[in-house]
Amino acid sequence: MRGILILAFSCFCSQAFAQHTESQLDSLFNKLYTEGKFNGNVLVAEKGQVLYQRSFGMASLDQKRPLNKESIFELASVSKQFTAMGIMILKKKGALSYEDSLRKFFPELPYEQITIRHLLNHTSGLPDYMELFEEYWDSSKIATNRDMIGLLAQYKPKILFNPGEKYEYSNTGYALLASIIEKASGKSYGKFLDEAIFKPLKMSNTLVLSRRFDNKVPENYAYGYVKQKTDNTFILPDEHPDYEAFVKALDGIQGDGTVNSTTGDLFLWDRALHDHALLTKKEWFEALQTPILKNGKKSFYGFGWMVDSSKTFGRIMNHSGSWPGYNTFIERHTDNDKTFILLSNMERGSLPYIAIRRILYHLQNNQPQPAIKLSADSLKQYKGKYTLAPDFVLTIWVENEKLLAQATGQTSFILTPEKTDWFIIPEVSAKIQFIRNDTGLVRSLVLYQNGQEVP
């Protein structure tokens, strides 16, 4: 009898925690939506059970159509994990090796010693294809992966560093991986992913889609919106002077983006990874290994996932995605089997993944107190855009008397002042040092993270 009572009490406590978690999440997202900071879908799960799933706002402003659980979003760079899985499945079938040279598939390209593994880990040193298109492409035409490969072969832009020497996020690398999938499988990138991943996992609302190039809009599509320059109203990026040229011209390039999905289908994906439905545990383990760079330092990117760990959360796998009108994020805590998925289709600000972590682990809002206090005016001297790599920019601004930073394609962080010109980002175990010139003006910075110094 006592055992039954203990079991009942345990179930009651578990249910109470779940209800409390749901209430906190609902309070968080209702507040963000009311304040105009979130428009999109969210799903939070623990141990295979959905704790919270809601939709906030509109899928189409023109049609006055609200979002619902089946709304389909462009995933942007969250697509990369599916490209990586496609490569891993082909490796399992013996169609390729991680050590295969890029030139085995594209001998017309001039890049020696770059392997599939380098592409997966973002350690290839390849130049950014977006800059290549900006310089040489007729923006009235929609480009495809074949066009990208053609420009690389024709103009032969130099690599940024020797393969394996550094980590540098590369959309070029993942677009090439999609083309390798096509070469190795004999099928289009979209068809291969559909047959090898989406259909087996019953992800019925997931597809590879270049909406403008394909001239196709799926039912229940969530259009992505950006803010007008003149006011705070929202328009499609196709109508915005800063975005219209490249969202159309680059719409046909796949692999670094163009997977479209729902929160529900991404939860099926999460469960498949948890249960090793597509790869054995040993095969999947390789995807989580982050490479040792030639300078002896360890990177933090596996195959299509950022990989990290902490005492509080255990091992974390996550990836963000950003494209005009869309901001996406998926995070899996594999030691504790917690998952959350955020899909936003309006330019509203950063996604609240730090707050979700705290709610899931019943933590207090423990943002460290600044070691020194700086006024909003003092913080303004650090504002600006700092280039960490050709296509990776850290934007820093002041909001509500706090200094915030956001890297390309990622969510924003609060920078907590530690000492003069030094700030910490506790959530990602990083520090930033601002560097002044001879006249005392801030002109650059150094990011310290994972044993690396990035100027």
Side-chain angles (χ1 to χ4, degrees):
M1 182 67 179
R2 181 173 178 271
I4 295 173
L5 287 173
I6 291 173
L7 179 61
F9 181 71
S10 174
C11 291
F12 172 78
C13 286
S14 177
Q15 186 179 13
F17 267 125
Q19 289 174 345
H20 182 60
T21 300
E22 181 182 4
S23 174
Q24 286 187 302
L25 289 167
D26 204 43
S27 176
L28 169 67
F29 280 96
N30 275 303
K31 183 174 186 292
L32 290 172
Y33 176 65
T34 301
E35 293 175 350
K37 295 178 180 177
F38 183 76
N39 188 101
N41 283 4
V42 54
L43 184 149
V44 181
E46 183 172 13
K47 301 191 186 307
Q49 300 298 314
V50 175
L51 299 178
Y52 185 75
Q53 186 176 16
R54 285 282 307 275
S55 301
F56 297 86
M58 304 301 290
S60 170
L61 295 179
D62 290 343
Q63 300 166 10
K64 296 183 172 55
R65 176 167 52 86
L67 291 165
N68 59 42
K69 292 178 183 179
E70 283 73 45
S71 294
I72 296 172
F73 292 72
E74 158 64 51
L75 298 185
S77 286
V78 170
S79 305
K80 288 181 171 68
Q81 57 203 255
F82 295 102
T83 303
M85 178 59 79
I87 291 288
M88 287 187 277
I89 290 171
L90 287 169
K91 193 262 187 183
K92 179 176 183 171
K93 292 180 175 181
L96 53 78
S97 163
Y98 297 142
E99 312 316 323
D100 281 344
S101 165
L102 172 61
R103 297 190 74 230
K104 174 182 177 179
F105 299 92
F106 305 106
E108 67 269 32
L109 295 182
Y111 307 113
E112 303 283 351
Q113 301 180 328
I114 293 176
T115 66
I116 287 177
R117 189 182 296 276
H118 290 133
L119 300 178
L120 289 165
N121 288 145
H122 292 300
T123 56
S124 68
L126 283 167
D128 178 31
Y129 76 74
M130 295 185 189
E131 293 182 2
L132 200 61
F133 276 96
E134 189 175 351
E135 186 171 357
Y136 298 112
W137 188 251
D138 176 358
S139 62
S140 67
K141 300 176 182 177
I142 298 179
T144 64
N145 288 44
R146 184 176 297 178
D147 295 315
M148 178 198 71
I149 293 165
L151 289 182
L152 288 169
Q154 181 179 355
Y155 294 101
K156 299 177 175 57
K158 292 181 180 179
I159 58 172
L160 307 175
F161 51 83
N162 292 324
E165 188 174 85
K166 298 179 183 178
Y167 163 88
E168 185 166 311
Y169 193 82
S170 175
N171 286 310
T172 307
Y174 268 77
L176 286 168
L177 286 170
S179 295
I180 289 172
I181 287 173
E182 295 187 334
K183 287 257 186 175
S185 70
K187 300 174 182 177
S188 72
Y189 170 71
K191 185 175 183 182
F192 181 80
L193 292 194
D194 189 52
E195 293 179 357
I197 302 174
F198 305 150
K199 279 185 175 147
L201 302 185
K202 296 182 170 54
M203 297 171 67
S204 57
N205 290 313
T206 303
L207 72 162
V208 173
L209 175 69
S210 297
R211 176 172 63 84
R212 301 162 186 88
F213 181 78
D214 297 331
N215 194 24
K216 174 184 174 183
V217 180
E219 190 177 347
N220 224 339
Y221 185 72
Y223 287 90
Y225 293 94
V226 296
K227 282 185 179 178
Q228 290 257 38
K229 274 195 160 187
T230 52
D231 54 35
N232 284 326
T233 59
F234 288 90
I235 56 173
L236 294 171
D238 310 60
E239 302 163 357
H240 194 289
D242 291 346
Y243 302 128
E244 61 175 332
F246 76 85
V247 296
K248 292 176 182 176
L250 302 181
D251 190 64
I253 294 180
Q254 301 178 334
D256 57 337
T258 67
V259 174
N260 289 245
S261 191
T262 66
T263 53
D265 273 13
L266 290 174
F267 181 54
L268 293 175
W269 166 242
D270 163 74
R271 291 295 86 198
L273 297 179
H274 177 271
D275 298 334
H276 303 291
L278 297 173
L279 300 173
T280 66
K281 189 173 183 179
K282 183 179 179 181
E283 289 164 342
W284 176 239
F285 180 75
E286 191 156 12
L288 309 180
Q289 304 313 298
T290 58
I292 303 295
L293 305 173
K294 287 185 178 177
N295 61 10
K297 295 177 180 178
K298 194 172 178 64
S299 178
F300 50 87
Y301 199 99
F303 290 0
W305 292 89
M306 301 277 187
V307 183
D308 199 0
S309 63
S310 77
K311 291 180 180 178
T312 302
F313 308 125
R315 185 169 61 196
I316 296 172
M317 299 171 57
N318 63 29
H319 211 294
S320 61
S322 181
W323 192 244
Y326 295 100
N327 196 359
T328 60
F329 191 78
I330 179 171
E331 179 161 296
R332 306 178 65 240
H333 295 199
T334 56
D335 292 338
N336 300 306
D337 198 9
K338 299 175 191 284
T339 303
F340 54 91
I341 300 155
L342 303 168
L343 304 178
S344 169
N345 66 320
M346 282 193 188
E347 196 175 53
R348 295 276 195 179
S350 60
L351 298 175
Y353 74 94
I354 301 297
I356 295 173
R357 285 181 188 173
R358 289 177 179 143
I359 290 171
L360 281 176
Y361 288 85
H362 313 291
L363 302 175
Q364 298 297 317
N365 192 336
N366 55 353
Q367 182 71 30
Q369 293 301 309
I372 60 173
K373 189 168 179 62
L374 297 174
S375 67
D377 285 340
S378 297
L379 293 173
K380 286 178 182 176
Q381 65 185 312
Y382 303 112
K383 287 168 49 180
K385 292 181 182 291
Y386 299 82
T387 302
L388 301 176
D391 61 343
F392 196 66
V393 176
L394 193 65
T395 302
I396 294 180
W397 72 99
V398 178
E399 186 177 306
N400 297 327
E401 298 188 347
K402 290 183 174 65
L403 197 65
L404 280 82
Q406 184 169 21
T408 301
Q410 299 185 20
T411 55
S412 64
F413 297 99
I414 295 174
L415 302 184
T416 303
E418 183 181 45
K419 56 186 178 182
T420 302
D421 295 340
W422 284 83
F423 292 75
I424 59 174
I425 314 172
E427 293 89 350
V428 293
S429 303
K431 284 189 178 185
I432 284 178
Q433 178 190 13
F434 289 94
I435 310 297
R436 298 177 183 272
N437 63 14
D438 293 341
T439 63
L441 295 175
V442 174
R443 282 292 177 264
S444 62
L445 62 75
V446 180
L447 171 67
Y448 299 88
Q449 188 179 27
N450 299 315
Q452 299 185 65
E453 300 176 13
V454 186

